[in-house]
Amino acid sequence: MRSSMTENVPLSPKELCWHCAPDQLDFETTDNLQDLGDVIGQNRAVASIGFAVAMRQPGYNIYALGPDGIGKHTIVRRHFEQAAAESPVPDDYCYVSNFQDSRKPRTLRLPPGRGAVFQNDMVRFVQDVPVGLRSTFESGEYRTRQQAIQEGFRERREKALAEIEAEAQPHDIALLRTPVGFAFGPTRDGKVISPEDFQSLSDEERERAQAAIEGLQEKLMKILQQTPVWMKEAQNAIRRLNDETAEFAVGHLIETLRKKYTDLPKVLDYLNDVRRDVIDNVEALISEPEKPGANRDAAEFEDGPSLFRRYRINLLVDNGTADRAPVVYEDDPTYDRLLGRIEHRAEMGTLLTDLHMIRPGALHHANGGYLVLDARKLLTRPWAWEALKRALLAEYIRIEPIAQVLGLLSTVTLEPEPIALNVKIAIVGDRLIYYLLSQYDPEFTRLFKVAADFDERFDRNDEHNLLYARLVATLIRKEQLRPFDRAGVARVLEFAARETGDSEKLSTGIENLLDLLREANHWAGKDDRKVVGAAEVQHAVDAQIGRLDRVRDRVQEEILRGTIAIDSEGAVVGQINGLSVMQLGSFAFGRPSRITARVRLGKGEVLDMEREVELGGPLHSKGVLILSSFLSSRYAGERPLSLSASLVFEQSYGGIEGDSASSAELYALLSAISGVPIKQCYAVTGSVNQHGQVQAIGGINEKIEGFFDLCAGRGLTGEQGVLIPATNVKHLMVHQRVLAAVEGGRFQIYPVETIDQGIEILTGISSGVRGTDGQYPVGSLNYRVETRLMEMAEKRRAFNGPVRMEGSE
């Protein structure tokens, strides 16, 4: 049986990169294109957002998931703005004093715009009340009535005392008024006699006088006991006068406000409370020192604890100037900035607060509208995520210090009345956070029922190419850049395809596209060009790479200097050039690596050096285990696999992950077993399954360019090339320098479907197909591998010796 080589044809230049011909674009410059009003490539996400906005039931909030830079924020806010334009303006909210419990301010909800009006009305009320009270209580009428009450009290007491004096006169007794009270003294000829004269009286006279004084003292005591009652009655009369006067002073002010707010029952209730509180505290209010200046505005009351401050309101949310529902983006979603806070002021070493120091949060500003938050920021701010969930579950906003929530605050503080919450929230973040929250937070899926999954790419076709061109034109006009000609737009389209790593797709990355447009515009300005062309776009792309490729250049330099051992010519047994991708920030580049394999007699083990020293990840280790399965199933189906093999990435000093080198490792193993050398002018990438089929991998363009740059640095011979999985051909968007070399026949890229196909290219020997007799063609590589493994199995059996049965002699 003879073996024959399969014809392996390298890819043509057209298969290596999609080229957008400028003549396929039906315009001269982007000035000829209309703005793009719709979003392209995000149909799923847009439909999800529209559904969530239309659902008014609780819990239909949005998590917009996807990578950064694809316009999640912009698209979400655009839909929120559109919905907000059709939504009513939400009400105003304010905090007012709770006169029954000053620690628990009450909320008032007013139609939009009327909150500010009510606030100004109460400011004027606070300005007018002191003037009205003082003028009324200092009026002649009030003083006359007050004096009348006081005189009535005095007259009542003096009348009672006069009656006692009149009763005492016939007994020659006088009522004396002393600094310490009242006293009775005997008289003679209308004059009080001295104690010595009183002692000189006869016993009968003294006893008669003493008896009269005792009787009068009992009556005086009754009058003195009655005096506090009369005084209380006088005080009550004065209090009724004060109440009546206060009612007269503020009644017309309150009634004026009541007429203005007859359609708001809660405001009317509050005004009634204000009326009662002014009347109840009128004495303290009129004794309040008057501040200098005739016109006292609201700001003047911020500094001191004026008793009139309690009648002002704290306008928490003012929607008076709004013409639609609010759309709020909170870029720093801390606990306080979300739910609001209670501020304090230091006074005489003590922290004081009142309802006017309550400050709103993002939930207050977005109430009745829409709120956009960043997932990573929200989750990294202490207690913010839990506070947001609590507010959404309870459907109200409660402002309280975080220390109080955690049970760490023992001092007295305000407890404002909660405000009803009605808001649509969109959290914007990456996919990992979404899946972690879905898995580990049971409340997440209850509160964020709608996932808006943004795609990184969309299909490339003629229709989408034109839509993408319109997107470019829209961004150019928005950024006020120079127009791009169609050749420049064509190069931008190629850049968008390269961004996806797929020639059949276009990237949805808006941020990277904007950067490219701005930088191309910059280079056009440097050349005094009025229109940006393909050369300027290419200059911008090359400049972006040039700013980031220092490490790539250093790696290539060390390979060319021989510090890192990579062969690109000759043939070596058990040695092959593998390809990997290094990702440094936003820049990725391909790096060739030498992979070597050694075999010896053993127990069928393939030793992965990277795994043994814990440098290999689980996916890489899985790929190596697949190699053992492939060798056993293909070459040792009916006999033990009697070799031990070792695989190693030479000069590898970091972790290795992924299975994209498993085909290269298998080629190296087959070479080591068969003794057939591998051509070092080739590099290989691709994973392999147990059936020997080569599978697609990532980073295909970077890997090809990495080995090409090495070969170009040493000089292209026309023999160098790269073996890639055939299933990766659709992903090819290689650089122009590679295309030029392929077009000139100085570099080849081979698509490979199976290990047999690849080993033929690498060795120049037919792999061979097992015939009807179950044998591989003599001389084929598979024949050599199987023969060598059979020899090793025989040697192993010989070393083990004959099997001895138990009990035999």
Side-chain angles (χ1 to χ4, degrees), residues 327-619:
V327 178
V328 177
Y329 169 60
E330 177 53 62
D331 63 345
D332 185 19
T334 62
Y335 177 90
D336 287 345
R337 291 177 70 88
L338 274 179
L339 271 74
R341 65 191 185 279
I342 302 173
E343 295 179 344
H344 295 75
R345 66 175 182 271
E347 194 169 298
M348 302 295 291
T350 303
L351 292 178
L352 302 177
T353 188
D354 59 23
L355 70 92
H356 304 291
M357 305 188 77
I358 301 174
R359 300 291 179 255
L363 288 175
H364 295 92
H365 291 302
N367 202 7
Y370 304 87
L371 176 63
V372 182
L373 300 171
D374 181 87
R376 191 173 299 275
K377 292 178 181 178
L378 178 64
L379 293 171
T380 54
R381 302 307 189 265
W383 208 251
W385 172 240
E386 291 299 325
L388 177 64
K389 290 194 299 180
R390 184 179 62 173
L392 291 176
L393 289 170
E395 298 184 24
Y396 59 73
I397 313 168
R398 181 186 297 277
I399 302 177
E400 55 184 337
I402 187 172
Q404 181 174 336
V405 175
L406 299 175
L408 304 178
L409 185 66
S410 58
T411 58
V412 176
T413 187
L414 297 180
E415 297 180 13
E417 182 181 355
I419 293 176
L421 178 62
N422 176 27
V423 67
K424 184 73 67 177
I425 297 179
I427 294 180
V428 180
D430 57 46
R431 293 191 175 99
L432 177 60
I433 293 177
Y434 174 80
Y435 296 130
L436 288 174
L437 289 173
S438 299
Q439 181 70 26
Y440 295 108
D441 191 337
E443 295 173 333
F444 173 70
T445 52
R446 177 181 172 188
L447 296 173
F448 292 86
K449 298 178 182 291
V450 180
D453 197 349
F454 284 77
D455 206 339
E456 303 94 321
R457 59 186 189 172
F458 61 100
D459 292 338
R460 178 186 60 77
N461 53 46
D462 292 342
E463 178 186 357
H464 287 168
N465 289 349
L466 182 57
L467 289 175
Y468 199 88
R470 289 177 58 192
L471 172 63
V472 170
T474 303
L475 295 176
I476 287 172
R477 281 189 281 272
K478 181 180 179 182
E479 294 289 318
Q480 299 181 349
L481 307 178
R482 294 173 178 84
F484 281 49
D485 62 23
R486 57 184 176 184
V489 175
R491 184 63 191 93
V492 171
L493 281 164
E494 293 171 0
F495 170 82
R498 171 64 187 248
E499 281 282 287
T500 66
D502 192 329
S503 63
E504 299 176 356
K505 302 288 183 179
L506 292 175
S507 171
T508 60
I510 300 298
E511 187 173 338
N512 289 344
L513 173 60
L514 269 173
D515 290 343
L516 179 64
L517 298 179
R518 292 166 181 154
E519 293 170 23
N521 178 77
H522 167 77
W523 295 118
K526 286 282 188 180
D527 297 335
D528 294 326
R529 291 181 58 100
K530 295 182 178 180
V531 178
V532 183
E536 288 74 33
V537 176
Q538 186 60 51
H539 190 171
V541 172
D542 294 340
Q544 287 179 349
I545 296 173
R547 293 192 293 268
L548 297 170
D549 66 350
R550 181 188 63 84
V551 176
R552 183 186 68 176
D553 289 349
R554 295 292 80 78
V555 171
Q556 290 289 349
E557 178 184 351
E558 294 306 318
I559 294 176
L560 294 175
R561 295 175 64 188
T563 306
I564 300 175
I566 302 290
D567 292 336
S568 57
E569 59 183 7
V572 181
V573 174
Q575 177 178 302
I576 193 169
N577 295 322
L579 296 172
S580 59
V581 173
M582 294 187 67
Q583 183 80 40
L584 299 176
S586 61
F587 181 64
F589 63 91
R591 178 186 184 278
S593 299
R594 173 179 288 179
I595 301 173
T596 59
R598 300 294 298 273
V599 297
R600 58 196 177 278
L601 197 63
K603 300 179 180 179
E605 298 173 343
V606 178
L607 181 65
D608 176 16
M609 295 290 190
E610 315 301 326
R611 181 179 62 182
E612 293 299 318
V613 296
E614 298 183 353
L615 285 178
L619 295 180

Side-chain angles (χ1 to χ4, degrees), residues 10-24:
L11 294 172
S12 66
K14 291 184 178 180
E15 296 175 289
L16 299 180
C17 181
W18 167 68
H19 174 64
C20 180
D23 56 10
Q24 295 177 352

Side-chain angles (χ1 to χ4, degrees), residues 51 119 171 202 246 253 269 528 558 573 707 730 747 763 802:
F51 167 74
Q119 182 185 45
H171 301 285
S202 63
L253 298 176
D269 292 341
D528 294 326
E558 294 306 318
V573 174
F707 188 68
K730 56 182 174 291
F747 196 77
T763 62

Side-chain angles (χ1 to χ4, degrees), residues 117-146:
V117 174
F118 185 53
Q119 182 185 45
N120 292 332
D121 287 342
M122 293 309 295
V123 168
R124 285 192 293 271
F125 175 80
V126 169
Q127 294 171 351
D128 294 341
V129 165
V131 177
L133 288 177
R134 288 190 175 93
S135 62
T136 304
F137 278 87
E138 291 174 1
S139 65
E141 180 183 357
Y142 172 78
R143 292 184 181 279
T144 300
R145 295 180 63 183
Q146 184 187 44

Side-chain angles (χ1 to χ4, degrees), residues 635-704:
Y635 303 111
E638 298 180 357
R639 64 182 65 86
L641 187 63
S642 302
L643 90 164
S644 288
S646 59
L647 290 167
V648 65
F649 276 73
E650 304 290 356
Q651 293 183 290
S652 171
Y653 306 106
I656 296 176
E657 179 59 311
D659 62 350
S660 65
S662 58
S663 65
E665 291 171 323
L666 182 52
Y667 292 137
L669 270 177
L670 295 176
S671 171
I673 296 170
S674 65
V676 177
I678 291 177
K679 298 176 183 179
Q680 300 300 296
C681 60
Y682 293 115
V684 176
T685 185
S687 66
V688 66
N689 62 23
Q690 295 185 95
H691 300 285
Q693 297 168 333
V694 179
Q695 303 170 135
I697 43 80
I700 188 65
N701 297 297
E702 290 81 2
K703 291 176 179 179
I704 292 173

